[in-house]
Amino acid sequence: MPVITSIADLKRLHKRRTPKMFYDYCESGSWTEQTFRENTSDFDQIRLRQRIAVDMSDRTTASQMIGQDVAMPVALAPVGLTGMQRADGEIKAARAAEKFGVPFTLSTMSICSIEDVAEHTTKPFWFQLYVMRDEDYVDAIIERAKVAGCSALVLTLDLQILGQRHKDLKNGLTAPPKLTPPVILDLATKWRWGIEMLQTKRKTFGNIVGHAKGVENMNSLHTWTAEQFDPRLDWEKVRILKKKWGRKLILKGILDVEDAKMAAEVGADAIIVSNHGGRQLDGALSSIKMLPGIMRAVGDKVEVHLDSGIRSGQDVLKALALGAKGVMIGRAYIHGLGAMGEKGVTTALAVIQKELDITMALCGKRDVKDLSPDVLLVPDDFEGKWA
Ligand code: GLV
């Protein structure tokens, strides 16, 4: 067994064990991938303040997100096609999150359905919604999430139109994959993936096929998603959806102070500062760079979470110290899943928790809830002056 010490180790195994088209789907940004790269490199600009001779006993990473107790304030982000990274991937990730004590968010574009994940877990998870033009479908999926006991709706607001990721087009991404000669060659070296996949019935979009009108197979599904994501989504619709849902609402994809103010005004329980992992508007600034301004604008009005760029416990600490109440990880746990299934997701969470705990201690803090900007060294020009 390889010794896993970091998310980078899991990423290497993920790449080795997963079909190229799905690894690439995870490890892509849109267009030039500038925003994708800066999401991580901007974290590196922030340094940590080493403190000494502070009692470091009895440390805790436990906290709360939207009033829910969490073992650490790190939720699993919604990731499309998770069940293609590893057979039954969403169920495996949800189980790992439940055992670890952190929230799991199921994507609309998941392979395992809401009902399937609910059946294989015991605690409520969060459900992420993409707003589609087909209002009956949207109403029905909100109802399905309620019946399944989902405790929060994560409404994604930055993907009315899909950003172009070159690799997905070049690889001919589909779920399940089409068996073209290059795919067959690739699968020949990914035998573990193939054997597990042959044993599961969950091979395409479980929340959609059989639920949305006229969507019976992958070919029509592609057309359907391109046509069906609702480009008219606006704040009025957000208000309507909030009412229909009636439980905790988290708005995802906030990157601008004005949008953060609107999100607070509609009464979201939390917002996620996010640029969709650099997968949507290439050229946008990183989430961590936008966080301080958003905190100043709405930090006292709404709970703020952050995603895009978190690959370590040090990154988690930086986001928390700048004011976020919690963060979401996507690629970091998908690397674990692709590498080692459920155990890999647990390993990813354990790696991040250990890094967070030790970093916190070496910064002279014992409780994640006490983190503040004084543990950081932030360059004067970190936020930059953008006209
Ligand atoms: C969907 O959420 C994607 O980013 O691919």
Side-chain angles (χ1 to χ4, degrees):
M1 264 319 254
V3 178
I4 305 294
T5 55
S6 65
I7 297 298
D9 285 345
L10 293 170
K11 181 175 168 180
R12 270 189 295 276
L13 287 177
H14 176 201
K15 185 170 188 180
R16 200 183 304 156
R17 295 178 177 173
T18 308
K20 181 175 172 355
M21 74 166 67
F22 301 121
Y23 175 82
D24 281 353
Y25 171 73
C26 166
E27 201 51 21
S28 292
S30 52
W31 290 319
T32 71
E33 302 193 331
Q34 177 186 33
T35 300
F36 170 57
R37 287 190 299 276
E38 289 181 357
N39 276 338
T40 48
S41 63
D42 283 352
F43 268 101
D44 297 340
Q45 287 181 32
I46 301 173
R47 302 301 174 87
L48 303 170
R49 193 165 159 220
Q50 173 178 303
R51 303 304 303 275
I52 54 160
V54 178
D55 178 359
M56 289 174 188
S57 56
D58 299 325
R59 297 186 306 278
T60 179
T61 61
S63 184
Q64 289 202 323
M65 291 173 86
I66 55 161
Q68 183 178 326
D69 287 332
V70 290
M72 63 175 168
V74 177
L76 301 197
V79 178
L81 283 77
T82 294
M84 281 291 123
Q85 301 292 349
R86 201 72 184 222
D88 309 332
E90 290 90 0
I91 291 173
K92 288 173 179 158
R95 282 184 160 171
E98 179 172 311
K99 286 181 203 149
F100 206 92
V102 296
F104 170 76
T105 318
L106 184 73
S107 166
T108 297
M109 304 307 283
S110 60
I111 303 297
C112 304
S113 70
I114 307 177
E115 293 77 9
D116 217 358
V117 175
E119 212 172 289
H120 291 86
T121 51
T122 63
K123 294 198 188 119
F125 52 94
W126 298 353
F127 178 67
Q128 175 269 342
L129 179 68
Y130 278 128
V131 180
M132 311 281 182
R133 286 179 209 254
D134 180 347
E135 286 186 13
D136 292 343
Y137 173 78
V138 173
D139 287 352
I141 202 161
I142 288 179
E143 206 41 48
R144 287 169 57 200
K146 279 192 199 173
V147 170
C150 295
S151 53
L153 189 73
V154 177
L155 181 57
T156 300
L157 297 175
D158 61 3
L159 201 143
Q160 281 144 282
I161 292 174
L162 194 71
Q164 178 168 311
R165 301 98 191 229
H166 298 323
K167 288 176 220 151
D168 293 349
L169 297 178
K170 293 196 159 81
N171 288 332
L173 176 73
T174 56
K178 274 208 192 82
L179 293 179
T180 58
V183 170
I184 292 168
L185 265 180
D186 182 38
L187 289 182
T189 63
K190 315 283 165 58
W191 55 272
R192 191 195 314 248
W193 181 94
I195 288 172
E196 285 185 11
M197 211 41 95
L198 283 174
Q199 289 165 2
T200 183
K201 59 183 191 302
R202 305 173 185 100
K203 292 189 180 68
T204 190
F205 297 92
N207 286 327
I208 295 172
V209 174
H211 294 280
K213 283 178 231 124
V215 181
E216 307 301 335
N217 62 51
M218 247 325 283
N219 294 339
S220 65
L221 182 76
H222 255 302
T223 326
W224 186 83
T225 45
E227 285 170 359
Q228 281 302 314
F229 279 71
D230 188 354
R232 299 156 309 175
L233 175 62
D234 60 12
W235 289 108
E236 192 41 40
K237 279 218 168 132
V238 173
R239 283 195 187 89
I240 295 169
L241 289 165
K242 179 178 186 308
K243 209 175 268 169
K244 281 188 179 162
W245 172 245
R247 299 182 191 170
K248 299 268 180 174
L249 178 71
I250 303 175
L251 297 181
K252 180 171 181 286
I254 311 290
L255 200 66
D256 190 274
V257 164
E258 295 311 313
D259 291 335
K261 287 181 187 164
M262 282 304 297
E265 209 177 295
V266 301
D269 295 282
I271 61 171
I272 308 175
V273 177
S274 168
N275 54 37
H276 214 106
R279 302 162 73 79
Q280 286 295 100
L281 181 61
D282 187 39
L285 289 179
S286 66
S287 295
I288 193 66
K289 228 169 217 179
M290 298 309 280
L291 179 65
I294 291 177
M295 286 309 306
R296 284 193 294 276
V298 300
D300 57 347
K301 297 184 183 72
V302 64
E303 184 168 317
V304 177
H305 302 168
L306 173 139
D307 75 21
S308 307
I310 303 270
R311 303 287 188 278
S312 69
Q314 298 90 296
D315 296 339
V316 176
L317 177 132
K318 289 171 186 175
L320 298 179
L322 288 177
K325 184 86 194 284
V327 301
M328 281 195 155
I329 53 169
R331 295 183 179 92
Y333 90 81
I334 293 293
H335 293 326
L337 180 72
M340 293 155 53
E342 179 178 335
K343 189 161 170 279
V345 178
T346 306
T347 304
L349 289 167
V351 162
I352 286 178
Q353 187 179 40
K354 189 172 176 191
E355 290 169 341
L356 173 60
D357 175 52
I358 294 178
T359 310
M360 182 174 80
L362 295 175
C363 288
K365 299 282 180 187
R366 295 170 6 182
D367 188 333
V368 277
K369 296 185 288 304
D370 291 341
L371 292 171
S372 60
D374 71 341
V375 300
L376 303 180
L377 298 166
V378 184
D380 278 348
D381 60 350
F382 180 64
E383 290 177 58
K385 283 208 172 80
W386 307 91

PDB file of all heavy atoms in Angstrom, residues 25 80 130 159 162 165 276 279, ligand 1:
ATOM      1  N   TYR A  25     -11.829  15.608 -16.579  1.00  0.00           N
ATOM      2  CA  TYR A  25     -13.040  16.379 -16.219  1.00  0.00           C
ATOM      3  C   TYR A  25     -12.829  17.051 -14.858  1.00  0.00           C
ATOM      4  O   TYR A  25     -13.178  18.218 -14.659  1.00  0.00           O
ATOM      5  CB  TYR A  25     -14.252  15.446 -16.173  1.00  0.00           C
ATOM      6  CG  TYR A  25     -15.493  16.092 -15.608  1.00  0.00           C
ATOM      7  CD1 TYR A  25     -16.216  17.028 -16.337  1.00  0.00           C
ATOM      8  CD2 TYR A  25     -15.935  15.787 -14.314  1.00  0.00           C
ATOM      9  CE1 TYR A  25     -17.352  17.643 -15.809  1.00  0.00           C
ATOM     10  CE2 TYR A  25     -17.067  16.389 -13.781  1.00  0.00           C
ATOM     11  CZ  TYR A  25     -17.764  17.317 -14.529  1.00  0.00           C
ATOM     12  OH  TYR A  25     -18.875  17.924 -13.995  1.00  0.00           O
ATOM     13  N   GLY A  80     -20.173  17.014 -10.342  1.00  0.00           N
ATOM     14  CA  GLY A  80     -20.876  16.227 -11.345  1.00  0.00           C
ATOM     15  C   GLY A  80     -20.107  14.961 -11.672  1.00  0.00           C
ATOM     16  O   GLY A  80     -18.876  14.909 -11.547  1.00  0.00           O
ATOM     17  N   TYR A 130     -29.223  22.647  -9.935  1.00  0.00           N
ATOM     18  CA  TYR A 130     -29.096  23.462 -11.137  1.00  0.00           C
ATOM     19  C   TYR A 130     -30.502  23.799 -11.585  1.00  0.00           C
ATOM     20  O   TYR A 130     -31.359  22.904 -11.653  1.00  0.00           O
ATOM     21  CB  TYR A 130     -28.405  22.687 -12.267  1.00  0.00           C
ATOM     22  CG  TYR A 130     -26.909  22.685 -12.156  1.00  0.00           C
ATOM     23  CD1 TYR A 130     -26.184  21.502 -12.193  1.00  0.00           C
ATOM     24  CD2 TYR A 130     -26.200  23.874 -12.019  1.00  0.00           C
ATOM     25  CE1 TYR A 130     -24.804  21.497 -12.098  1.00  0.00           C
ATOM     26  CE2 TYR A 130     -24.823  23.879 -11.914  1.00  0.00           C
ATOM     27  CZ  TYR A 130     -24.133  22.691 -11.954  1.00  0.00           C
ATOM     28  OH  TYR A 130     -22.777  22.706 -11.856  1.00  0.00           O
ATOM     29  N   LEU A 159     -23.767  28.947 -13.192  1.00  0.00           N
ATOM     30  CA  LEU A 159     -23.690  28.028 -14.342  1.00  0.00           C
ATOM     31  C   LEU A 159     -25.018  27.970 -15.086  1.00  0.00           C
ATOM     32  O   LEU A 159     -25.646  26.926 -15.187  1.00  0.00           O
ATOM     33  CB  LEU A 159     -23.242  26.625 -13.881  1.00  0.00           C
ATOM     34  CG  LEU A 159     -22.654  25.728 -14.968  1.00  0.00           C
ATOM     35  CD1 LEU A 159     -21.516  24.868 -14.476  1.00  0.00           C
ATOM     36  CD2 LEU A 159     -23.695  24.863 -15.637  1.00  0.00           C
ATOM     37  N   LEU A 162     -22.681  26.730 -19.652  1.00  0.00           N
ATOM     38  CA  LEU A 162     -21.487  25.966 -19.277  1.00  0.00           C
ATOM     39  C   LEU A 162     -20.218  26.598 -19.837  1.00  0.00           C
ATOM     40  O   LEU A 162     -20.138  26.884 -21.031  1.00  0.00           O
ATOM     41  CB  LEU A 162     -21.643  24.537 -19.818  1.00  0.00           C
ATOM     42  CG  LEU A 162     -20.685  23.492 -19.272  1.00  0.00           C
ATOM     43  CD1 LEU A 162     -21.004  23.140 -17.830  1.00  0.00           C
ATOM     44  CD2 LEU A 162     -20.753  22.226 -20.132  1.00  0.00           C
ATOM     45  N   ARG A 165     -14.574  23.715 -21.274  1.00  0.00           N
ATOM     46  CA  ARG A 165     -13.342  23.041 -20.847  1.00  0.00           C
ATOM     47  C   ARG A 165     -12.852  22.228 -22.035  1.00  0.00           C
ATOM     48  O   ARG A 165     -13.498  21.266 -22.463  1.00  0.00           O
ATOM     49  CB  ARG A 165     -13.605  22.124 -19.649  1.00  0.00           C
ATOM     50  CG  ARG A 165     -14.169  22.834 -18.409  1.00  0.00           C
ATOM     51  CD  ARG A 165     -15.670  22.673 -18.360  1.00  0.00           C
ATOM     52  NE  ARG A 165     -16.332  23.528 -17.371  1.00  0.00           N
ATOM     53  CZ  ARG A 165     -17.215  23.064 -16.511  1.00  0.00           C
ATOM     54  NH1 ARG A 165     -17.525  21.795 -16.477  1.00  0.00           N
ATOM     55  NH2 ARG A 165     -17.804  23.888 -15.696  1.00  0.00           N
ATOM     56  N   HIS A 276     -16.505  28.390  -9.153  1.00  0.00           N
ATOM     57  CA  HIS A 276     -16.782  27.061  -9.709  1.00  0.00           C
ATOM     58  C   HIS A 276     -15.473  26.312 -10.010  1.00  0.00           C
ATOM     59  O   HIS A 276     -15.341  25.633 -11.021  1.00  0.00           O
ATOM     60  CB  HIS A 276     -17.640  27.191 -10.966  1.00  0.00           C
ATOM     61  CG  HIS A 276     -18.610  26.066 -11.165  1.00  0.00           C
ATOM     62  ND1 HIS A 276     -19.954  26.189 -10.954  1.00  0.00           N
ATOM     63  CD2 HIS A 276     -18.434  24.773 -11.556  1.00  0.00           C
ATOM     64  CE1 HIS A 276     -20.566  25.043 -11.213  1.00  0.00           C
ATOM     65  NE2 HIS A 276     -19.651  24.165 -11.569  1.00  0.00           N
ATOM     66  N   ARG A 279     -13.902  26.772 -13.417  1.00  0.00           N
ATOM     67  CA  ARG A 279     -14.481  26.037 -14.546  1.00  0.00           C
ATOM     68  C   ARG A 279     -15.472  26.863 -15.350  1.00  0.00           C
ATOM     69  O   ARG A 279     -15.991  26.406 -16.353  1.00  0.00           O
ATOM     70  CB  ARG A 279     -15.207  24.786 -14.024  1.00  0.00           C
ATOM     71  CG  ARG A 279     -14.311  23.859 -13.250  1.00  0.00           C
ATOM     72  CD  ARG A 279     -15.101  22.878 -12.396  1.00  0.00           C
ATOM     73  NE  ARG A 279     -15.754  21.845 -13.166  1.00  0.00           N
ATOM     74  CZ  ARG A 279     -15.147  20.761 -13.644  1.00  0.00           C
ATOM     75  NH1 ARG A 279     -13.847  20.604 -13.427  1.00  0.00           N
ATOM     76  NH2 ARG A 279     -15.807  19.848 -14.306  1.00  0.00           N
TER      77      ARG A 279
HETATM   78  C1  GLV B   1     -20.444  21.097 -13.356  1.00  0.00           C
HETATM   79  O1  GLV B   1     -20.812  21.528 -12.307  1.00  0.00           O
HETATM   80  C2  GLV B   1     -19.135  21.244 -13.838  1.00  0.00           C
HETATM   81  O2  GLV B   1     -18.437  22.169 -13.395  1.00  0.00           O
HETATM   82  O3  GLV B   1     -18.739  20.451 -14.676  1.00  0.00           O
END
